[in-house]
């Protein structure tokens, strides 16, 4: 916010505090309305990255209405964002004591505990959140992901599958289940989950991207290409889907079609080394070695890694007849591992 707007807001809330007072008041309903409004404003500031201002607003809200659990829960989220985890947990506990039936504070406790490495306690809190809000699939989705990380695949699948039952957001549950099945390489089952998600929300970027990747893994290249091209049309400014399409075109030996897409990705996400590395490999395949070298160097400067990356770069240097640089690149490759895969691509949002 501009300084003048901040000053006006501060003056307004100071006036509110003076008028309403702190603590018990005969106009408690009005106090609660003001406090919730201020708490919502604090959350918006937090989402915008203005953390100090968010904490100030949320602390004011808690002072105005100390018996409103939402204010304490949101303040806990803000404290957690700056690493004050003990203070965050205290606010979440206050929220649960004020209203034991609220699910969100238990979820927030789980998130904070998970960051601190207290996995079992985090699972317990997520289970409490699920019990309190059984129609909210987001808690089951998070629990499923946590169990998957712990290699409890059977438990994770059960939780993800339960999330797809009757709920307030069947689409997100189907999408998450599809992602889980795709990670487990159960592509045919994942396709069914993604198709259901796409039927619930036509044009869903997450569902279409998942379908494209599954079709590709199932070697149904044409359907993979069609789905991904459709997604690019629906989201022409989304670098993630353009990167996917470029990878497919490169593997179909249609690299010349992929280059303009990668130019867009680089323009939209200048720090994404994978786009430069993929474009460099395509240019090398097209015999444009000097341009490829330049892009490999740029990708390296952005932190590129992976066996495939170093190998492509070394082959480019060999094609240029620079044995010394080829040896240097292969030396770097010997100290690296991994591959250029979809893992490096940015997430896609609906």
């Amino acid at each position: 916010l501009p300084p003048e707007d901040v000053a006006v807001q501060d003056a307004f809330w100071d006036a509110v505090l003076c008028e309403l007072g702190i603590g018990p008041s005969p106009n408690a309903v009005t106090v609660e309305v003001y406090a919730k409004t201020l708490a919502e404003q604090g959350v918006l500031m937090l989402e915008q990255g203005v953390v100090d201002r968010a904490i100030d607003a949320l602390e004011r809200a808690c002072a105005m209405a100390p018996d409103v659990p939402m204010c304490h829960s949101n303040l806990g989220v803000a404290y957690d964002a700056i690493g004050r985890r003990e203070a965050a947990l205290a606010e979440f506990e206050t929220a649960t004591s004020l209203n034991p039936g609220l699910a969100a504070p238990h979820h927030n406790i789980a998130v904070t505990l998970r960051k601190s490495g207290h996995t079992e306690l985090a699972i317990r809190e997520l289970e409490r959140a699920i019990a309190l809000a059984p129609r909210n699939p987001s808690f089951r989705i998070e629990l499923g992901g946590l169990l998957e990380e712990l290699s409890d695949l059977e438990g994770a699948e059960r939780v993800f599958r339960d999330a797809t039952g009757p709920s307030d957001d069947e689409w997100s549950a189907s999408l998450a289940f599809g992602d889980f099945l795709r990670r487990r390489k159960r592509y045919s089952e994942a396709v069914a989950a993604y198709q259901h998600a796409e039927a619930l929300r036509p044009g869903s970027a997450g569902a279409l991207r998942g379908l494209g990747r599954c079709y590709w893994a199932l070697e149904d290249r044409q359907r993979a290409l069609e789905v991904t091209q459709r997604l690019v049309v629906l989201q022409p400014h989304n670098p993630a889907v353009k990167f996917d399409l470029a990878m497919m075109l490169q593997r179909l030996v249609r690299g010349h079609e992929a280059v303009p897409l990668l130019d867009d990705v680089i323009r939209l996400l200048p720090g994404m080394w994978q786009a430069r590395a993929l474009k460099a490999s395509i240019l090398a395949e097209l015999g444009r070695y000097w341009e490829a070298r330049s892009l490999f160097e740029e990708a390296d400067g952005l932190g590129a890694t992976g066996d495939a990356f170093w190998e492509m770069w070394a082959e480019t240097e060999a094609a240029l007849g620079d044995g010394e640089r080829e040896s240097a690149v292969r030396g770097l490759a010997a100290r690296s591992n991994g591959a250029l895969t979809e893992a490096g691509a940015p997430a896609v949002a609906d």
Side-chain angles (χ1 to χ4, degrees):
L1 292 172
E4 58 272 19
D5 290 348
V6 171
V8 169
Q9 286 199 9
D10 285 343
F12 170 74
W13 290 114
D14 285 339
V16 170
L17 289 172
C18 289
E19 179 182 346
L20 300 176
I22 300 296
S25 170
N27 53 352
V29 174
T30 305
V31 173
E32 183 173 333
V33 170
Y34 273 118
K36 286 183 176 179
T37 301
L38 184 54
E40 290 170 358
Q41 192 174 52
V43 171
L44 289 174
M45 291 177 181
L46 188 62
E47 291 173 350
Q48 294 166 0
V50 192
V51 181
D52 291 342
R53 295 278 307 157
I55 289 175
D56 180 63
L58 289 162
E59 287 177 339
R60 285 182 179 223
C62 289
M64 289 172 65
D67 296 331
V68 176
M70 181 193 81
C71 297
H72 291 282
S73 187
N74 290 347
L75 177 58
V77 172
Y79 282 151
D80 185 64
I82 61 172
R84 294 178 56 185
R85 289 176 184 161
E86 289 187 8
L89 288 171
E91 293 299 329
F92 298 145
E93 294 290 355
T94 298
T96 58
S97 65
L98 289 169
N99 187 344
L102 283 178
H106 288 287
H107 168 259
N108 293 336
I109 291 172
V111 171
T112 302
L113 288 172
R114 185 176 180 181
K115 291 177 183 176
S116 303
H118 301 296
T119 307
E120 293 301 323
L121 292 175
I123 290 174
R124 195 178 310 162
E125 290 296 328
L126 282 171
E127 289 172 341
R128 288 173 180 166
I130 290 168
L132 290 167
R135 290 187 61 84
N136 184 339
S138 64
F139 303 142
R140 283 191 170 88
I141 291 169
E142 188 154 346
L143 177 58
L146 181 53
L147 293 174
E148 184 182 4
E149 285 182 15
L150 296 172
S151 298
D152 182 359
L153 301 182
E154 184 177 336
E157 180 170 353
R158 183 181 63 254
V159 172
F160 278 119
R161 196 178 293 278
D162 287 347
T164 62
S167 72
D168 296 327
D169 189 2
E170 190 179 345
W171 167 80
S172 65
S174 296
L175 183 62
F177 190 37
D179 289 341
F180 169 77
L181 293 168
R182 180 173 61 83
R183 290 192 294 270
R184 304 270 62 81
K185 302 186 186 304
R186 292 161 57 180
Y187 299 115
S188 296
E189 295 171 84
V191 165
Y194 285 134
Q195 286 175 333
H196 184 57
E198 212 270 328
L200 291 168
R201 187 180 293 183
S204 162
L208 289 174
R209 194 182 195 197
L211 280 171
R213 289 177 168 182
C214 287
Y215 286 142
W216 187 269
L218 292 167
E219 299 189 357
D220 190 343
R221 306 303 197 213
Q222 187 58 37
R223 292 182 76 179
L225 201 60
E226 288 173 356
V227 167
T228 308
Q229 287 172 328
R230 177 186 167 200
L231 186 50
V232 169
V233 171
L234 289 170
Q235 296 197 336
H237 303 296
N238 189 322
V241 298
K242 288 191 173 186
F243 182 79
D244 277 3
L245 180 57
M247 289 188 72
M248 291 179 185
L249 290 169
Q250 186 255 354
R251 292 171 188 176
L252 291 171
V253 198
R254 293 167 58 181
H256 62 285
E257 298 177 54
V259 169
L261 292 168
L262 291 168
D263 287 337
D264 283 346
V265 175
I266 292 168
R267 177 177 55 81
L268 293 166
L269 284 178
M272 184 183 171
W273 66 262
Q274 292 87 349
R276 282 178 166 78
L278 183 57
K279 182 181 176 183
S281 68
I282 291 171
L283 293 177
E285 290 167 358
L286 296 174
R288 296 160 61 179
Y289 299 113
W290 289 102
E291 295 171 81
R293 170 192 276 180
S294 177
L295 282 166
F296 279 127
E297 290 172 343
E298 290 177 16
D300 182 38
L302 291 170
T305 187
D307 293 342
F309 170 75
W310 301 116
E311 182 62 28
M312 290 185 292
W313 189 358
E315 290 177 1
T316 297
E317 296 299 342
L320 288 170
D322 194 330
E324 185 176 343
R325 284 176 65 100
E326 180 190 356
S327 297
V329 171
R330 292 194 184 281
L332 292 171
R335 298 194 296 273
S336 180
N337 53 49
L340 177 62
T341 67
E342 68 174 50
V348 59
D350 282 276

